[in-house]
Amino acid sequence: MPRITLHHPISTLLNQLLFPPGTLLTKEALDAVIDSQRAYSYQTCPLLLYGSVKEDCLNFFSTPPYMTIFLDKKQVNGVLNLLETVHLPIPILQTLDYFKKFDFHTYSHVLMVFALSTLLAKDLIPDYRECIQLSATGPTHDIGKICVPLPMLKKTTPLTKTERGFIEHHAAAGYVLLSYYYKDIQHLACKVALDHHERRDGSGYPRGILLNDPMVEIIAVSDIYDALIKPRPYRSGPYDNRTALEEITEMAEQNKIGWDVIKALIAHNRKSKPHYREITISAERRGTPPSYNVYGVIAEGENTDPKY
Ligand SMILES: [Fe+2]
Ligand SMILES: [Fe+2]
């Protein structure tokens, strides 16, 4: 059980405050919150049948670069078969409505992380049941963003330290919200929500631990890739596919993420669909990153809060 001090509140979509800012998150504190609603049992629904999720996923599959990744119909059907097994509690599904309405980027992002991580898991995780478990974590990995004010998620200029801390809060918030809805702090989705920004060399957040879980790493790489190839408010445009893959390759060279996931991602980006173990990666860099990009840049002088 991680011991984390929460610098910001954690509330549900219905504005039920689970933890105020300043709370030290302990097993006892989390168990007490879970116990408070143990009598409720949430109805579940297949994710793909919820709202327009299936139609939206198929639309996203047909836009570049995903149209190459999801080119092989047999592979797509295999992924859809796995995706169809994912059922989620209704309050978790309702967060998709929230994102679709107020932050469409996060809506498309969580669905594509869901689909892409499932595709990669089919290559890298031999156990079918583990693949299903992993698939169910993709659509919920960023659920904690419901606790981040929308103007911060959409800001086009550098964040202040406080705002940056608020964005990073989504990892712990997701861990708490999923523990609450699943009533199980050991659920893989909780671990993925908490750890998907951690890195192998300890340079990630929120805890700076060494990322060593293959399932979390598949979500982490899918998360980075999707964030690079989509337009984001804090930079002038998306990374082109080549540059995005080069950026991720560089992260493997720096031991932030492992090579196998990257090889699997690159293999799916090739029309010939080679096995990931056949992939050799060139060290040459030919891509051009977007000209304006303030991701990771902290605005000076706006905040000196010592907590961050
Ligand atoms: Fe995230
Ligand atoms: Fe994400």
Side-chain angles (χ1 to χ4, degrees), residues 209-241:
I209 59 167
L210 305 183
L211 173 61
N212 61 7
D213 183 308
M215 308 244 275
V216 179
E217 192 165 54
I218 288 171
I219 294 286
V221 170
S222 306
D223 176 65
I224 298 163
Y225 178 69
D226 187 75
L228 290 172
I229 59 160
K230 298 262 185 69
R232 300 299 294 122
Y234 47 75
R235 61 180 185 236
S236 52
Y239 281 69
D240 65 76
N241 199 40

Side-chain angles (χ1 to χ4, degrees), residues 109 141-142 145 167 170-171 193 196-197 205 223:
H109 170 71
H141 78 280
D142 273 340
K145 286 188 176 171
I167 299 274
H170 83 277
H196 71 278
H197 288 287
Y205 71 84
D223 176 65

Side-chain angles (χ1 to χ4, degrees), residues 274-299:
H275 190 279
Y276 78 91
R277 288 208 186 90
E278 293 166 18
I279 294 289
T280 50
I281 300 178
S282 156
E284 194 189 347
R285 294 279 172 272
R286 287 190 279 167
T288 314
S291 53
Y292 174 82
N293 187 354
V294 294
Y295 180 79
V297 176
I298 297 295

Side-chain angles (χ1 to χ4, degrees), residues 258-275:
W259 284 103
D260 279 355
V261 199
I262 292 159
K263 285 183 178 179
L265 177 62
I266 291 174
H268 283 292
N269 267 284
R270 297 203 178 148
K271 286 188 178 149
S272 58
K273 305 292 173 194
H275 190 279

